[in-house]
């Protein structure tokens, strides 16, 4: 049996930022990562993925990412692996957490490589792991190849015929632009709006610090403006950042309204148009967190109950990297550092109070 003060579940950017701060404070902890290598959560995304953030805003605390421009998928994955090695973070890879429960000894973390006991558990992974598809997806003709954006890697996965991309946000437009190079491509879904400048231009680089400041310090759950913005984004997603309507038009991507059903095995639009000759459907319809390993009374409506990452009614259980955990930036690389430092303060206060006593959230 392995006993630690804190077990961090997830060795992606959220888990590593938490580990960085725990290491600096001399805490007794371990990071459990289910993938074979640190950074694999990025390496398993689509091949052409490129971050929106220039190096300053794609870096974790204490170590700049060694690239000159917005990093690619593989550059980000390799950087996370270098980060863990540089700070000698105690990451155990290939260890999949299957259950977290609580008994008189503390939290019991069961994995496919044995059990761990902990006074505190920080869940820093699993936020975007369960593909979300409409219920009618199962009614499509079996001859139509279906992929989710989490499963998409490259155009080699497309079948012959038209590619229908459902979901017109950032991932959907990335995939549609790539598909249009070799296939007739349809893009279905509500246009979420777009950033008014080219983020890769000098104007875009000047705008990034302003946007990052607003996302971290203005659009938070503490401000009325932030609460309204978060409510809107939770329902409809964020604006297009790099891609523009003009890019889609120039590439020949045909834009449609919503896909709302299936007729005779073929997808149909909201106005009743039946789409024939569709060989591949790519569902860019979002994803849900997978916290099913938590055997604890912390769920409400399928989501964990928390206040700024502190689990409601379960002292010692915390989360890092949740969407809109405190601010619009919370699930981004730039939002993790502040949220991690906040959780660290709560861990220290819990240690002073004793793990069995109720937690009073520090609102600073």
């Amino acid at each position: 049996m392995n006993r630690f003060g804190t077990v961090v579940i997830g060795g992606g950017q959220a888990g590593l930022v938490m580990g960085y701060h725990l290491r600096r404070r001399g805490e007794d902890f371990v990071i459990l990562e289910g993938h074979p290598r640190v950074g694999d959560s990025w390496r398993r995304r689509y091949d052409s993925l490129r971050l929106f953030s220039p190096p300053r805003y794609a870096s974790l605390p204490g170590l700049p990412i060694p690239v000159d421009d917005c990093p690619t998928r593989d550059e980000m994955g390799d950087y996370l692996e270098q980060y863990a090695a540089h700070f000698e973070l105690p990451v155990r890879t290939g260890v999949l957490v299957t259950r977290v429960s609580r008994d008189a000894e503390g939290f019991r973390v069961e994995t496919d490589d044995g059990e761990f006991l902990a006074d505190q558990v920080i869940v820093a992974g699993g936020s975007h792991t369960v593909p979300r598809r409409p219920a009618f997806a199962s009614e499509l003709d079996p001859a139509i190849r279906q992929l989710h954006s989490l499963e998409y890697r490259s155009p080699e996965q497309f079948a012959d015929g038209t590619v229908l991309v459902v979901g017109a946000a950032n991932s959907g437009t990335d995939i549609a632009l790539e598909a249009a190079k070799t296939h007739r491509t349809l893009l279905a879904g509500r246009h979420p709006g777009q950033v008014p400048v080219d983020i890769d231009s000098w104007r875009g680089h000047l705008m990034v610090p302003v946007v990052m400041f607003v996302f971290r310090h203005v659009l938070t759950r503490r401000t009325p403006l932030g609460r309204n913005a978060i409510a809107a984004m939770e329902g409809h997603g964020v604006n297009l950042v790099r891609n523009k309507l003009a890019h889609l038009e120039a590439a020949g991507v045909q834009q449609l309204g919503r896909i709302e059903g299936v007729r005779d095995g073929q997808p149909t639009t909201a106005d009743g148009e039946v789409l024939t000759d569709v060989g591949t459907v790519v569902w860019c319809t979002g994803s849900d967190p997978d916290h099913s390993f938590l055997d604890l009374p912390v769920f409400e409506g399928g989501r964990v109950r928390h206040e700024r990452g502190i689990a409601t009614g379960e002292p010692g259980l915390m989360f890092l990297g949740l969407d809109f955990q405190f601010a619009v930036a919370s699930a981004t690389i730039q939002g993790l550092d502040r949220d991690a430092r906040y959780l660290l303060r709560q861990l220290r206060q819990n240690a002073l109070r004793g793990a069995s006593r109720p937690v009073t959230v520090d609102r600073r």
Side-chain angles (χ1 to χ4, degrees):
M1 185 70 69
N2 299 292
R3 178 98 205 189
F4 294 92
T6 301
V7 168
V8 179
I9 300 175
Q13 59 266 22
L16 297 183
V17 170
M18 195 71 238
Y20 169 80
H21 287 290
L22 290 169
R23 170 69 86 192
R24 292 185 70 198
R25 293 289 182 93
E27 301 287 341
D28 171 39
F29 72 102
V30 67
I31 302 172
L32 306 180
E33 167 57 43
H35 289 124
R37 292 173 60 191
V38 172
D40 276 351
S41 58
W42 285 95
R43 298 185 188 97
R44 297 184 180 210
R45 302 289 300 277
Y46 51 94
D47 295 349
S48 61
L49 177 65
R50 184 167 164 243
L51 276 68
F52 301 137
S53 305
R56 175 183 173 188
Y57 297 99
S59 298
L60 305 187
L63 184 69
I65 186 170
V67 297
D68 298 324
D69 202 352
C70 299
T72 65
R73 173 200 74 172
D74 289 340
E75 286 173 338
M76 194 65 203
D78 292 346
Y79 165 65
L80 295 185
E81 193 168 44
Q82 293 164 11
Y83 189 91
H86 180 83
F87 291 109
E88 300 181 340
L89 299 179
V91 183
R92 300 194 186 184
T93 55
V95 178
L96 181 66
V97 174
T98 57
R99 182 171 180 257
V100 177
S101 58
R102 193 169 198 164
D103 58 24
E105 296 183 80
F107 289 102
R108 186 174 296 272
V109 181
E110 300 174 30
T111 78
D112 59 359
D113 190 38
E115 292 189 1
F116 297 77
L117 289 177
D119 299 320
Q120 290 91 210
V121 168
I122 300 175
V123 179
S127 293
H128 293 281
T129 52
V130 181
R132 190 187 304 150
R133 296 180 175 90
F136 57 76
S138 61
E139 301 172 22
L140 285 174
D141 188 323
I144 297 176
R145 182 172 299 171
Q146 297 189 54
L147 300 168
H148 190 273
S149 58
L150 293 180
E151 303 160 338
Y152 173 73
R153 297 294 177 269
S154 70
E156 284 72 23
Q157 293 172 279
F158 298 142
D160 293 337
T162 298
V163 174
L164 170 63
V165 180
V166 181
N170 289 288
S171 294
T173 53
D174 271 353
I175 295 171
L177 287 169
E178 198 161 61
K181 296 175 182 177
T182 54
H183 293 69
R184 175 175 177 256
T185 302
L186 308 176
L187 177 63
R190 183 188 67 85
H191 176 52
Q194 61 189 26
V195 173
V197 301
D198 178 0
I199 66 164
D200 295 317
S201 69
W202 66 269
R203 290 185 179 87
H205 290 171
L206 289 177
M207 186 183 72
V208 167
V210 177
V211 172
M212 291 296 184
F213 179 86
V214 171
F215 280 12
R216 290 184 64 195
H217 301 289
V218 178
L219 299 183
T220 74
R221 294 191 179 276
R222 187 177 291 159
T223 68
L225 181 63
R227 290 191 291 272
N228 291 337
I230 288 171
M233 291 183 184
E234 283 178 328
H236 302 291
V238 299
N239 292 347
L240 296 182
V241 179
R242 177 171 286 118
N243 301 327
K244 305 287 187 289
L245 283 175
H247 299 158
L248 298 168
E249 293 170 2
V253 175
Q254 181 182 345
Q255 296 181 66
L256 308 172
R258 291 171 55 87
I259 300 298
E260 292 200 346
V262 174
R263 185 182 304 169
D264 298 326
Q266 306 300 311
T268 61
T269 65
D271 57 10
E273 180 184 1
V274 180
L275 304 179
T276 58
D277 191 38
V278 172
T280 306
V281 175
V282 185
W283 300 107
C284 299
T285 44
S287 56
D288 292 315
D290 182 9
H291 295 137
S292 58
F293 56 84
L294 291 175
D295 188 9
L296 297 164
V298 294
F299 295 96
E300 183 175 346
R303 300 277 178 157
V304 293
R305 297 189 312 270
H306 72 95
E307 184 174 350
R308 200 172 171 179
I310 310 297
T312 304
E314 196 64 46
L317 178 64
M318 302 180 183
F319 299 87
L320 182 63
L322 297 177
D323 284 340
F324 313 115
Q325 180 165 317
F326 174 65
V328 168
S330 282
T332 70
I333 294 169
Q334 278 300 298
L336 294 172
D337 184 56
R338 178 179 59 185
D339 288 349
R341 287 186 282 108
Y342 177 82
L343 295 185
L344 190 64
R345 293 200 298 270
Q346 307 312 309
L347 287 174
R348 297 185 70 191
Q349 291 184 17
N350 289 353
L352 293 173
R353 296 189 187 101
S356 63
R357 295 179 60 186
V359 176
T360 301
V361 175
D362 178 358
R363 300 180 183 277
R364 289 178 295 170

